[in-house]
Amino acid sequence: MRSLDSKQTQVSALTQQTQFNRTELESCGIGGLFPDSDAQLPSGPLLMMDRIVDIKPHAGLFKKGEITAEFDINPDNWFFEHHFAGDPLMPGSLMLEGMWQTLGFYLGWSGYPGKVRALGVGDLKLKNEVKPNAGRIQYKINIRRIVARQTVLAIAQGSIYQGEVEIASAKDLRAGLFQG
């Protein structure tokens, strides 16, 4: 009984934490952040966020939860060398990946078990380019619905901001947690 109480205390303490740094996010990439869960982020250069700046249940546009993450943009980011030669831009696919990662992190933080998988997006709009001198972008994800059955499904609305300007948006952003 003690170990169950200890695990519940660990999960409770984790859901009280509303900010996470790069080291903690990298720990999530090797399965070391969420007790009793397989929820992981990608690791290394594919991790598209440097910090979670705020995470709240029962908040946001739909009052189902919200999470805000940031990613530092600089000329040394690996993708600028390859996309495009002489005209470097952050690929839109990596912008979308950052939103999926942020949504997946929210599911793991919420205590749901399973392996995170991106499941799709209904409507993606890329409104502006992210260049090597962008400084920082911010992912803001508003949870619209979580369906927790054998598989956990999250549906959300996401935006990416550079400063105060929305540079991308996604409707019906979907991620799930799968057992086994």
Side-chain angles (χ1 to χ4, degrees):
M1 191 71 159
R2 245 185 248 254
S3 64
L4 180 58
D5 291 340
S6 173
K7 288 178 184 177
Q8 287 173 337
T9 300
Q10 286 176 331
V11 170
S12 178
L14 190 60
T15 57
Q16 296 300 314
Q17 185 175 342
T18 61
Q19 297 181 333
F20 296 84
N21 62 33
R22 177 75 184 204
T23 302
E24 291 166 315
L25 296 178
E26 288 172 353
S27 175
C28 185
I30 57 171
L33 188 60
F34 302 121
D36 299 327
S37 177
D38 296 335
Q40 292 179 245
L41 290 171
S43 59
L46 197 53
L47 180 57
M48 293 285 105
M49 45 184 163
D50 288 306
R51 68 198 66 80
I52 303 291
V53 295
D54 196 27
I55 185 169
K56 296 177 190 159
H58 316 296
L61 294 175
F62 310 105
K63 305 297 184 212
K64 304 284 185 179
E66 69 179 351
I67 179 170
T68 303
E70 294 178 341
F71 184 55
D72 297 330
I73 304 293
N74 65 66
D76 296 329
N77 291 119
W78 64 273
F79 44 82
F80 287 129
E81 180 181 346
H82 308 284
H83 190 268
F84 297 99
D87 185 22
L89 301 173
M90 181 180 189
S93 58
L94 293 181
M95 294 164 70
L96 177 59
E97 174 69 20
M99 287 192 277
W100 272 324
Q101 289 178 18
T102 305
L103 178 57
F105 186 90
Y106 183 88
L107 287 173
W109 174 84
S110 296
Y112 294 105
K115 296 180 182 194
V116 178
R117 297 294 185 260
L119 296 177
V121 62
D123 184 29
L124 175 66
K125 292 184 179 163
L126 302 174
K127 304 171 184 181
N128 209 338
E129 299 173 337
V130 177
K131 296 185 179 254
N133 62 353
R136 176 182 301 153
I137 60 173
Q138 191 172 69
Y139 308 107
K140 291 188 178 192
I141 307 297
N142 286 278
I143 311 304
R144 196 174 84 211
R145 185 173 181 201
I146 295 179
V147 179
R149 295 195 177 109
Q150 184 176 2
T151 299
V152 177
L153 169 68
I155 304 169
Q157 181 173 312
S159 294
I160 302 175
Y161 291 88
Q162 184 178 353
E164 299 296 316
V165 177
E166 184 183 53
I167 60 170
S169 65
K171 291 182 182 173
D172 293 329
L173 186 67
R174 295 172 182 255
L177 287 166
F178 296 85
Q179 306 266 336

